[in-house]
Amino acid sequence: MSTINIRGVAVEFPFEPYELQREYMDKVIECLQNETNGVLESPTGTGKTLSLLCSTLGWLQLKKAQIQAQRINSIAEEKQGFMGNLLKELTGKVDNGTANNADNSGRAFMGLPTIIYASRTHTQLSQAMNELKRSAYKHMKACIIGSREQMCIHPEVMKEQSNSARTQMCRLKVKSRNCHFHNRVERKKEDPAVSESPVMDIEDLVKLGNLHKFCPYYMAREIQKEADIIFMPYNYLLDPKVRKSLGIVLSNNVVILDEAHNIERYIFIYFL
């Protein structure tokens, strides 16, 4: 494993990166640090996906550390202020029994962004997740968003012929708490089999769901809440109704469109 410093970010890479990969990661981090859009291109076979994931997650890891340090400092300052005011009260140096509170206007905590990684197909997303699994960032929490058709394991629901019928039956069973797979999600999400497996694609979740008898579809929704990076196909990201139903927020988050040259054609086929 090789660690390289790019614009103050320690990026861990599975091997010594080629110059082209260094340049690519440099541009990714430049965009992230400047909070700007970027259109990046790299020839096939140059490790674009791995470079993209390592640079983005390296930046996010540093961001996490910075926010954690800010919070620790804020807590320490608040404790110090409390003890100072208490001491003044005890020594009678506070007029009328009141103390001046420190101005908290400059202490707003920064929100931690989520990486949203979108590609055209779930096959491409699985390939990206496999790249993540072999990187130094495989410990970071990842989630993949899929459909009920791909992730439901309830035998009665899966007997339905159409997606709309499956969706309706699923919702009815969940609402009436008649789906024992869904009922086990809350308890099983803390199970080490789930919590200690930070990177799981659809096949991993379905396999684990069958083994531990929980719903992979709703487990993915739970994992999504704490995920550092969320993988999803284009339509989940581009359709406002789907985004809303899944609780996907774009503002203050990082959006990556893999193979973005497909976006225009995709929008034309599915939305126009």
Side-chain angles (χ1 to χ4, degrees):
M1 195 66 66
S2 176
T3 302
I4 54 174
N5 188 295
I6 301 177
R7 296 178 178 267
V9 177
V11 178
E12 296 185 66
F13 210 68
F15 49 85
E16 185 65 29
Y18 300 118
E19 187 59 32
L20 182 62
Q21 292 168 330
R22 283 177 177 268
E23 292 176 2
Y24 190 92
M25 291 190 285
D26 179 83
K27 291 301 180 184
V28 171
I29 292 174
E30 180 183 353
C31 290
L32 292 169
Q33 290 178 335
N34 294 335
E35 299 183 2
T36 188
N37 297 325
V39 180
L40 306 179
E41 187 176 16
S42 185
T44 302
T46 55
K48 171 179 62 67
T49 301
L50 186 61
S51 300
L52 184 58
L53 289 172
C54 289
S55 55
T56 304
L57 292 172
W59 170 83
L60 181 61
Q61 194 164 256
L62 176 61
K63 192 82 169 175
K64 274 186 169 183
Q66 291 171 338
I67 290 174
Q68 186 176 18
Q70 288 173 356
R71 288 179 176 174
I72 291 172
N73 289 338
S74 296
I75 292 170
E77 289 174 7
E78 288 173 3
K79 286 182 177 179
Q80 187 176 14
F82 171 78
M83 293 304 295
N85 289 335
L86 180 61
L87 181 61
K88 287 180 181 180
E89 289 181 7
L90 292 175
T91 55
K93 293 183 179 180
V94 179
D95 295 336
N96 300 323
T98 61
N100 293 325
N101 292 322
D103 182 11
N104 291 324
S105 60
R107 296 191 181 180
F109 293 120
M110 294 174 61
L112 185 63
T114 300
I115 311 299
I116 300 173
Y117 188 107
S119 194
R120 188 165 55 91
T121 67
H122 272 101
T123 299
Q124 291 171 325
L125 293 173
S126 292
Q127 291 171 350
M129 295 189 82
N130 285 333
E131 292 283 1
L132 178 57
K133 288 177 182 178
R134 72 185 188 95
S135 76
Y137 302 99
K138 59 187 177 183
H139 64 283
M140 300 187 78
K141 201 70 173 177
C143 171
I144 186 166
I145 304 298
S147 65
R148 286 179 174 85
E149 182 180 11
Q150 295 168 306
M151 304 180 82
C152 179
I153 59 174
H154 196 295
E156 292 181 24
V157 175
M158 294 312 295
K159 284 180 182 178
E160 296 295 326
Q161 297 299 312
S162 67
N163 286 334
S164 59
R166 291 192 196 104
T167 299
Q168 186 176 8
M169 179 177 282
C170 171
R171 287 174 176 169
L172 286 172
K173 285 185 174 293
V174 168
K175 187 175 181 179
S176 61
R177 296 195 60 80
N178 284 326
C179 178
H180 59 279
F181 296 106
H182 176 267
N183 294 343
R184 290 170 63 86
V185 168
E186 187 66 27
R187 176 158 51 94
K188 282 294 181 179
K189 70 180 182 180
E190 303 299 336
D191 191 294
V194 176
S195 61
E196 295 179 8
S197 301
V199 183
M200 291 186 288
D201 59 22
I202 288 177
E203 290 74 18
D204 295 329
L205 267 173
V206 170
K207 183 178 179 180
L208 206 59
N210 278 308
L211 182 63
H212 293 275
K213 306 303 179 187
F214 65 75
C215 174
Y217 177 79
Y218 281 100
M219 183 63 78
R221 299 283 291 271
E222 288 297 319
I223 296 172
Q224 175 189 337
K225 296 175 184 178
E226 302 296 330
D228 295 306
I229 180 168
I230 304 172
F231 294 86
M232 66 185 70
Y234 289 155
N235 59 310
Y236 286 44
L237 178 67
L238 299 176
D239 191 324
K241 292 181 180 178
V242 175
R243 284 205 311 270
K244 184 177 180 180
S245 69
L246 294 174
I248 297 167
V249 179
L250 301 184
S251 60
N252 299 320
N253 287 328
V254 177
V255 178
I256 297 173
L257 294 173
D258 189 26
E259 304 287 344
H261 58 273
N262 292 310
I263 287 289
E264 185 176 3
R265 178 173 174 269
Y266 191 90
I267 292 174
F268 181 79
I269 293 173
Y270 290 95
F271 295 98
L272 298 179

